[in-house]
Amino acid sequence: MNQSSEAAVEAAATEAATPSITTMEIGDILKILPHRYPFLLIDRVVELVRMKSIVALKNVTITEPFFQGHFPEKPIMPGVLIVEAIAQAGGLLLLTEVPNRDELLMVFTGIEKARFRRPVAPGDQLRIEVVVRAWRKTAARLEGKAYVDGKVVCEATVTCRLVPRNAGAGAAEEENL
């Protein structure tokens, strides 16, 4: 990243030094994230501190399509989808700062230290908390935890990158953070 880009990020961070807490309903989320049913895994944002952290909710219902096969006799939410919910919450936080987000996609470039502590079942509400650990012009490293009833069910560090929506598969090469 060049020095003018770094200066812009630092200026935005200084501007955001006074925490601004924001909430978002589903309509607001749909304006920012490109995901749609059945893959949108964020229902509401209860707290957003610009460029720093986000707290989002996902209501887990028996009507989720993945429960038909995971597992019919004992439905549990696949761990990979909990990590995806963490990434979507982080993407939502980051994309609020991107003015041309309609031209870009935020894609995974890595998942580290993923741990699954407890199963998530229909009727649970996931509370997803994500903190920014590093943020560059086009890439970020985020630490996330998902909770049910105050207990950690999943934690992971995810890295992601902004790529043009019309780019090919090679556009998502990992950037070291």
Side-chain angles (χ1 to χ4, degrees), residues 113-137:
K113 303 177 187 171
R115 298 287 181 263
F116 305 97
R117 308 289 183 199
R118 300 172 186 278
V120 175
D124 287 343
Q125 182 181 67
L126 281 178
R127 178 182 172 93
I128 303 151
E129 299 181 5
V130 178
V131 175
V132 175
R133 291 299 177 212
W135 188 340
R136 305 255 189 324
K137 183 178 177 183

PDB file of all heavy atoms in Angstrom, residues 113-137:
ATOM      1  N   LYS A 113      -6.804 -21.001  12.960  1.00  0.00           N
ATOM      2  CA  LYS A 113      -7.162 -21.206  14.363  1.00  0.00           C
ATOM      3  C   LYS A 113      -8.654 -21.428  14.578  1.00  0.00           C
ATOM      4  O   LYS A 113      -9.198 -21.027  15.599  1.00  0.00           O
ATOM      5  CB  LYS A 113      -6.691 -20.022  15.210  1.00  0.00           C
ATOM      6  CG  LYS A 113      -5.202 -19.750  15.115  1.00  0.00           C
ATOM      7  CD  LYS A 113      -4.831 -18.524  15.914  1.00  0.00           C
ATOM      8  CE  LYS A 113      -3.385 -18.161  15.666  1.00  0.00           C
ATOM      9  NZ  LYS A 113      -3.045 -16.877  16.258  1.00  0.00           N
ATOM     10  N   ALA A 114      -9.316 -22.057  13.635  1.00  0.00           N
ATOM     11  CA  ALA A 114     -10.747 -22.334  13.805  1.00  0.00           C
ATOM     12  C   ALA A 114     -10.935 -23.431  14.847  1.00  0.00           C
ATOM     13  O   ALA A 114     -10.287 -24.475  14.787  1.00  0.00           O
ATOM     14  CB  ALA A 114     -11.377 -22.751  12.481  1.00  0.00           C
ATOM     15  N   ARG A 115     -11.801 -23.155  15.803  1.00  0.00           N
ATOM     16  CA  ARG A 115     -12.124 -24.110  16.862  1.00  0.00           C
ATOM     17  C   ARG A 115     -13.631 -24.123  17.044  1.00  0.00           C
ATOM     18  O   ARG A 115     -14.273 -23.075  17.059  1.00  0.00           O
ATOM     19  CB  ARG A 115     -11.468 -23.717  18.194  1.00  0.00           C
ATOM     20  CG  ARG A 115      -9.961 -23.686  18.170  1.00  0.00           C
ATOM     21  CD  ARG A 115      -9.397 -25.104  18.121  1.00  0.00           C
ATOM     22  NE  ARG A 115      -7.953 -25.104  18.123  1.00  0.00           N
ATOM     23  CZ  ARG A 115      -7.207 -25.206  17.028  1.00  0.00           C
ATOM     24  NH1 ARG A 115      -7.768 -25.297  15.860  1.00  0.00           N
ATOM     25  NH2 ARG A 115      -5.893 -25.227  17.112  1.00  0.00           N
ATOM     26  N   PHE A 116     -14.157 -25.311  17.210  1.00  0.00           N
ATOM     27  CA  PHE A 116     -15.594 -25.490  17.413  1.00  0.00           C
ATOM     28  C   PHE A 116     -15.796 -26.064  18.800  1.00  0.00           C
ATOM     29  O   PHE A 116     -15.297 -27.143  19.108  1.00  0.00           O
ATOM     30  CB  PHE A 116     -16.165 -26.391  16.309  1.00  0.00           C
ATOM     31  CG  PHE A 116     -15.844 -25.851  14.940  1.00  0.00           C
ATOM     32  CD1 PHE A 116     -14.751 -26.329  14.233  1.00  0.00           C
ATOM     33  CD2 PHE A 116     -16.586 -24.826  14.396  1.00  0.00           C
ATOM     34  CE1 PHE A 116     -14.420 -25.804  12.987  1.00  0.00           C
ATOM     35  CE2 PHE A 116     -16.262 -24.288  13.155  1.00  0.00           C
ATOM     36  CZ  PHE A 116     -15.179 -24.782  12.444  1.00  0.00           C
ATOM     37  N   ARG A 117     -16.505 -25.347  19.643  1.00  0.00           N
ATOM     38  CA  ARG A 117     -16.610 -25.696  21.059  1.00  0.00           C
ATOM     39  C   ARG A 117     -17.903 -26.398  21.434  1.00  0.00           C
ATOM     40  O   ARG A 117     -17.920 -27.233  22.322  1.00  0.00           O
ATOM     41  CB  ARG A 117     -16.476 -24.429  21.919  1.00  0.00           C
ATOM     42  CG  ARG A 117     -15.255 -23.589  21.613  1.00  0.00           C
ATOM     43  CD  ARG A 117     -14.004 -24.256  22.084  1.00  0.00           C
ATOM     44  NE  ARG A 117     -12.847 -23.392  21.835  1.00  0.00           N
ATOM     45  CZ  ARG A 117     -11.623 -23.825  21.797  1.00  0.00           C
ATOM     46  NH1 ARG A 117     -11.362 -25.095  21.991  1.00  0.00           N
ATOM     47  NH2 ARG A 117     -10.635 -22.994  21.570  1.00  0.00           N
ATOM     48  N   ARG A 118     -18.999 -26.015  20.798  1.00  0.00           N
ATOM     49  CA  ARG A 118     -20.316 -26.576  21.133  1.00  0.00           C
ATOM     50  C   ARG A 118     -21.165 -26.620  19.871  1.00  0.00           C
ATOM     51  O   ARG A 118     -20.998 -25.789  18.989  1.00  0.00           O
ATOM     52  CB  ARG A 118     -21.040 -25.690  22.143  1.00  0.00           C
ATOM     53  CG  ARG A 118     -20.324 -25.495  23.447  1.00  0.00           C
ATOM     54  CD  ARG A 118     -21.044 -24.443  24.302  1.00  0.00           C
ATOM     55  NE  ARG A 118     -20.298 -24.136  25.505  1.00  0.00           N
ATOM     56  CZ  ARG A 118     -20.333 -24.856  26.603  1.00  0.00           C
ATOM     57  NH1 ARG A 118     -21.078 -25.924  26.660  1.00  0.00           N
ATOM     58  NH2 ARG A 118     -19.620 -24.498  27.656  1.00  0.00           N
ATOM     59  N   PRO A 119     -22.109 -27.535  19.787  1.00  0.00           N
ATOM     60  CA  PRO A 119     -22.999 -27.560  18.614  1.00  0.00           C
ATOM     61  C   PRO A 119     -24.008 -26.408  18.655  1.00  0.00           C
ATOM     62  O   PRO A 119     -24.366 -25.913  19.718  1.00  0.00           O
ATOM     63  CB  PRO A 119     -23.707 -28.915  18.725  1.00  0.00           C
ATOM     64  CG  PRO A 119     -23.584 -29.310  20.148  1.00  0.00           C
ATOM     65  CD  PRO A 119     -22.353 -28.654  20.694  1.00  0.00           C
ATOM     66  N   VAL A 120     -24.422 -25.990  17.461  1.00  0.00           N
ATOM     67  CA  VAL A 120     -25.455 -24.963  17.308  1.00  0.00           C
ATOM     68  C   VAL A 120     -26.666 -25.659  16.695  1.00  0.00           C
ATOM     69  O   VAL A 120     -26.554 -26.333  15.671  1.00  0.00           O
ATOM     70  CB  VAL A 120     -24.960 -23.811  16.411  1.00  0.00           C
ATOM     71  CG1 VAL A 120     -26.075 -22.802  16.162  1.00  0.00           C
ATOM     72  CG2 VAL A 120     -23.745 -23.144  17.040  1.00  0.00           C
ATOM     73  N   ALA A 121     -27.824 -25.497  17.343  1.00  0.00           N
ATOM     74  CA  ALA A 121     -29.033 -26.223  16.955  1.00  0.00           C
ATOM     75  C   ALA A 121     -30.164 -25.251  16.630  1.00  0.00           C
ATOM     76  O   ALA A 121     -30.108 -24.070  16.980  1.00  0.00           O
ATOM     77  CB  ALA A 121     -29.449 -27.154  18.098  1.00  0.00           C
ATOM     78  N   PRO A 122     -31.207 -25.767  15.975  1.00  0.00           N
ATOM     79  CA  PRO A 122     -32.370 -24.919  15.709  1.00  0.00           C
ATOM     80  C   PRO A 122     -32.893 -24.296  17.000  1.00  0.00           C
ATOM     81  O   PRO A 122     -32.928 -24.941  18.046  1.00  0.00           O
ATOM     82  CB  PRO A 122     -33.400 -25.896  15.121  1.00  0.00           C
ATOM     83  CG  PRO A 122     -32.577 -27.002  14.544  1.00  0.00           C
ATOM     84  CD  PRO A 122     -31.389 -27.129  15.463  1.00  0.00           C
ATOM     85  N   GLY A 123     -33.248 -23.017  16.913  1.00  0.00           N
ATOM     86  CA  GLY A 123     -33.725 -22.289  18.076  1.00  0.00           C
ATOM     87  C   GLY A 123     -32.645 -21.459  18.742  1.00  0.00           C
ATOM     88  O   GLY A 123     -32.944 -20.570  19.536  1.00  0.00           O
ATOM     89  N   ASP A 124     -31.381 -21.742  18.419  1.00  0.00           N
ATOM     90  CA  ASP A 124     -30.281 -20.962  18.981  1.00  0.00           C
ATOM     91  C   ASP A 124     -30.177 -19.618  18.262  1.00  0.00           C
ATOM     92  O   ASP A 124     -30.575 -19.475  17.105  1.00  0.00           O
ATOM     93  CB  ASP A 124     -28.947 -21.696  18.833  1.00  0.00           C
ATOM     94  CG  ASP A 124     -28.800 -22.878  19.772  1.00  0.00           C
ATOM     95  OD1 ASP A 124     -29.559 -22.959  20.754  1.00  0.00           O
ATOM     96  OD2 ASP A 124     -27.925 -23.723  19.502  1.00  0.00           O
ATOM     97  N   GLN A 125     -29.608 -18.654  18.959  1.00  0.00           N
ATOM     98  CA  GLN A 125     -29.261 -17.382  18.342  1.00  0.00           C
ATOM     99  C   GLN A 125     -27.751 -17.217  18.470  1.00  0.00           C
ATOM    100  O   GLN A 125     -27.210 -17.230  19.571  1.00  0.00           O
ATOM    101  CB  GLN A 125     -29.973 -16.206  19.018  1.00  0.00           C
ATOM    102  CG  GLN A 125     -29.659 -14.880  18.342  1.00  0.00           C
ATOM    103  CD  GLN A 125     -30.345 -13.703  19.006  1.00  0.00           C
ATOM    104  OE1 GLN A 125     -30.022 -13.361  20.138  1.00  0.00           O
ATOM    105  NE2 GLN A 125     -31.302 -13.101  18.306  1.00  0.00           N
ATOM    106  N   LEU A 126     -27.088 -17.091  17.321  1.00  0.00           N
ATOM    107  CA  LEU A 126     -25.652 -16.847  17.314  1.00  0.00           C
ATOM    108  C   LEU A 126     -25.405 -15.359  17.535  1.00  0.00           C
ATOM    109  O   LEU A 126     -25.995 -14.518  16.864  1.00  0.00           O
ATOM    110  CB  LEU A 126     -25.041 -17.210  15.961  1.00  0.00           C
ATOM    111  CG  LEU A 126     -24.766 -18.655  15.635  1.00  0.00           C
ATOM    112  CD1 LEU A 126     -24.206 -18.762  14.218  1.00  0.00           C
ATOM    113  CD2 LEU A 126     -23.791 -19.265  16.615  1.00  0.00           C
ATOM    114  N   ARG A 127     -24.540 -15.061  18.465  1.00  0.00           N
ATOM    115  CA  ARG A 127     -24.033 -13.704  18.655  1.00  0.00           C
ATOM    116  C   ARG A 127     -22.608 -13.730  18.123  1.00  0.00           C
ATOM    117  O   ARG A 127     -21.756 -14.444  18.657  1.00  0.00           O
ATOM    118  CB  ARG A 127     -24.065 -13.297  20.118  1.00  0.00           C
ATOM    119  CG  ARG A 127     -23.504 -11.896  20.373  1.00  0.00           C
ATOM    120  CD  ARG A 127     -23.527 -11.559  21.859  1.00  0.00           C
ATOM    121  NE  ARG A 127     -22.828 -10.324  22.120  1.00  0.00           N
ATOM    122  CZ  ARG A 127     -23.405  -9.130  22.176  1.00  0.00           C
ATOM    123  NH1 ARG A 127     -24.714  -9.025  21.993  1.00  0.00           N
ATOM    124  NH2 ARG A 127     -22.693  -8.051  22.422  1.00  0.00           N
ATOM    125  N   ILE A 128     -22.362 -12.991  17.065  1.00  0.00           N
ATOM    126  CA  ILE A 128     -21.090 -13.031  16.360  1.00  0.00           C
ATOM    127  C   ILE A 128     -20.339 -11.739  16.657  1.00  0.00           C
ATOM    128  O   ILE A 128     -20.840 -10.649  16.371  1.00  0.00           O
ATOM    129  CB  ILE A 128     -21.323 -13.187  14.844  1.00  0.00           C
ATOM    130  CG1 ILE A 128     -22.160 -14.445  14.584  1.00  0.00           C
ATOM    131  CG2 ILE A 128     -20.012 -13.218  14.093  1.00  0.00           C
ATOM    132  CD1 ILE A 128     -23.017 -14.366  13.362  1.00  0.00           C
ATOM    133  N   GLU A 129     -19.154 -11.871  17.233  1.00  0.00           N
ATOM    134  CA  GLU A 129     -18.336 -10.716  17.581  1.00  0.00           C
ATOM    135  C   GLU A 129     -17.030 -10.787  16.786  1.00  0.00           C
ATOM    136  O   GLU A 129     -16.323 -11.782  16.857  1.00  0.00           O
ATOM    137  CB  GLU A 129     -18.048 -10.691  19.085  1.00  0.00           C
ATOM    138  CG  GLU A 129     -19.317 -10.585  19.910  1.00  0.00           C
ATOM    139  CD  GLU A 129     -19.079 -10.539  21.407  1.00  0.00           C
ATOM    140  OE1 GLU A 129     -17.898 -10.487  21.839  1.00  0.00           O
ATOM    141  OE2 GLU A 129     -20.083 -10.542  22.153  1.00  0.00           O
ATOM    142  N   VAL A 130     -16.760  -9.735  16.030  1.00  0.00           N
ATOM    143  CA  VAL A 130     -15.581  -9.701  15.173  1.00  0.00           C
ATOM    144  C   VAL A 130     -14.790  -8.430  15.471  1.00  0.00           C
ATOM    145  O   VAL A 130     -15.367  -7.349  15.580  1.00  0.00           O
ATOM    146  CB  VAL A 130     -15.978  -9.740  13.677  1.00  0.00           C
ATOM    147  CG1 VAL A 130     -14.747  -9.650  12.783  1.00  0.00           C
ATOM    148  CG2 VAL A 130     -16.774 -11.002  13.370  1.00  0.00           C
ATOM    149  N   VAL A 131     -13.461  -8.605  15.585  1.00  0.00           N
ATOM    150  CA  VAL A 131     -12.555  -7.494  15.850  1.00  0.00           C
ATOM    151  C   VAL A 131     -11.523  -7.439  14.723  1.00  0.00           C
ATOM    152  O   VAL A 131     -10.987  -8.473  14.312  1.00  0.00           O
ATOM    153  CB  VAL A 131     -11.838  -7.679  17.213  1.00  0.00           C
ATOM    154  CG1 VAL A 131     -10.802  -6.596  17.452  1.00  0.00           C
ATOM    155  CG2 VAL A 131     -12.859  -7.732  18.341  1.00  0.00           C
ATOM    156  N   VAL A 132     -11.239  -6.246  14.234  1.00  0.00           N
ATOM    157  CA  VAL A 132     -10.234  -6.061  13.190  1.00  0.00           C
ATOM    158  C   VAL A 132      -8.855  -6.119  13.829  1.00  0.00           C
ATOM    159  O   VAL A 132      -8.580  -5.409  14.785  1.00  0.00           O
ATOM    160  CB  VAL A 132     -10.424  -4.703  12.478  1.00  0.00           C
ATOM    161  CG1 VAL A 132      -9.312  -4.455  11.468  1.00  0.00           C
ATOM    162  CG2 VAL A 132     -11.792  -4.638  11.805  1.00  0.00           C
ATOM    163  N   ARG A 133      -7.992  -6.981  13.308  1.00  0.00           N
ATOM    164  CA  ARG A 133      -6.609  -7.080  13.786  1.00  0.00           C
ATOM    165  C   ARG A 133      -5.636  -6.379  12.843  1.00  0.00           C
ATOM    166  O   ARG A 133      -4.607  -5.883  13.278  1.00  0.00           O
ATOM    167  CB  ARG A 133      -6.199  -8.546  13.962  1.00  0.00           C
ATOM    168  CG  ARG A 133      -6.929  -9.197  15.094  1.00  0.00           C
ATOM    169  CD  ARG A 133      -6.605  -8.490  16.395  1.00  0.00           C
ATOM    170  NE  ARG A 133      -7.356  -9.073  17.492  1.00  0.00           N
ATOM    171  CZ  ARG A 133      -7.771  -8.398  18.529  1.00  0.00           C
ATOM    172  NH1 ARG A 133      -7.541  -7.116  18.637  1.00  0.00           N
ATOM    173  NH2 ARG A 133      -8.453  -8.993  19.482  1.00  0.00           N
ATOM    174  N   ALA A 134      -5.931  -6.374  11.545  1.00  0.00           N
ATOM    175  CA  ALA A 134      -5.117  -5.656  10.557  1.00  0.00           C
ATOM    176  C   ALA A 134      -6.028  -5.278   9.405  1.00  0.00           C
ATOM    177  O   ALA A 134      -6.915  -6.040   9.040  1.00  0.00           O
ATOM    178  CB  ALA A 134      -3.965  -6.532  10.061  1.00  0.00           C
ATOM    179  N   TRP A 135      -5.800  -4.092   8.859  1.00  0.00           N
ATOM    180  CA  TRP A 135      -6.655  -3.615   7.776  1.00  0.00           C
ATOM    181  C   TRP A 135      -5.807  -2.792   6.823  1.00  0.00           C
ATOM    182  O   TRP A 135      -5.242  -1.776   7.202  1.00  0.00           O
ATOM    183  CB  TRP A 135      -7.769  -2.770   8.343  1.00  0.00           C
ATOM    184  CG  TRP A 135      -8.841  -2.370   7.387  1.00  0.00           C
ATOM    185  CD1 TRP A 135      -8.778  -2.342   6.019  1.00  0.00           C
ATOM    186  CD2 TRP A 135     -10.145  -1.928   7.713  1.00  0.00           C
ATOM    187  NE1 TRP A 135      -9.956  -1.919   5.493  1.00  0.00           N
ATOM    188  CE2 TRP A 135     -10.815  -1.651   6.518  1.00  0.00           C
ATOM    189  CE3 TRP A 135     -10.808  -1.721   8.907  1.00  0.00           C
ATOM    190  CZ2 TRP A 135     -12.117  -1.188   6.470  1.00  0.00           C
ATOM    191  CZ3 TRP A 135     -12.102  -1.264   8.869  1.00  0.00           C
ATOM    192  CH2 TRP A 135     -12.755  -0.997   7.671  1.00  0.00           C
ATOM    193  N   ARG A 136      -5.716  -3.264   5.618  1.00  0.00           N
ATOM    194  CA  ARG A 136      -5.020  -2.552   4.554  1.00  0.00           C
ATOM    195  C   ARG A 136      -6.063  -2.098   3.531  1.00  0.00           C
ATOM    196  O   ARG A 136      -7.240  -2.397   3.676  1.00  0.00           O
ATOM    197  CB  ARG A 136      -3.995  -3.455   3.886  1.00  0.00           C
ATOM    198  CG  ARG A 136      -2.999  -4.078   4.846  1.00  0.00           C
ATOM    199  CD  ARG A 136      -1.672  -3.437   4.764  1.00  0.00           C
ATOM    200  NE  ARG A 136      -0.553  -4.000   5.451  1.00  0.00           N
ATOM    201  CZ  ARG A 136      -0.485  -4.604   6.612  1.00  0.00           C
ATOM    202  NH1 ARG A 136      -1.560  -4.854   7.297  1.00  0.00           N
ATOM    203  NH2 ARG A 136       0.657  -4.999   7.123  1.00  0.00           N
ATOM    204  N   LYS A 137      -5.611  -1.446   2.512  1.00  0.00           N
ATOM    205  CA  LYS A 137      -6.533  -0.904   1.508  1.00  0.00           C
ATOM    206  C   LYS A 137      -7.439  -1.978   0.907  1.00  0.00           C
ATOM    207  O   LYS A 137      -8.624  -1.751   0.712  1.00  0.00           O
ATOM    208  CB  LYS A 137      -5.726  -0.209   0.411  1.00  0.00           C
ATOM    209  CG  LYS A 137      -6.563   0.449  -0.646  1.00  0.00           C
ATOM    210  CD  LYS A 137      -5.691   1.153  -1.658  1.00  0.00           C
ATOM    211  CE  LYS A 137      -6.538   1.744  -2.761  1.00  0.00           C
ATOM    212  NZ  LYS A 137      -5.705   2.365  -3.783  1.00  0.00           N
TER     213      LYS A 137
END
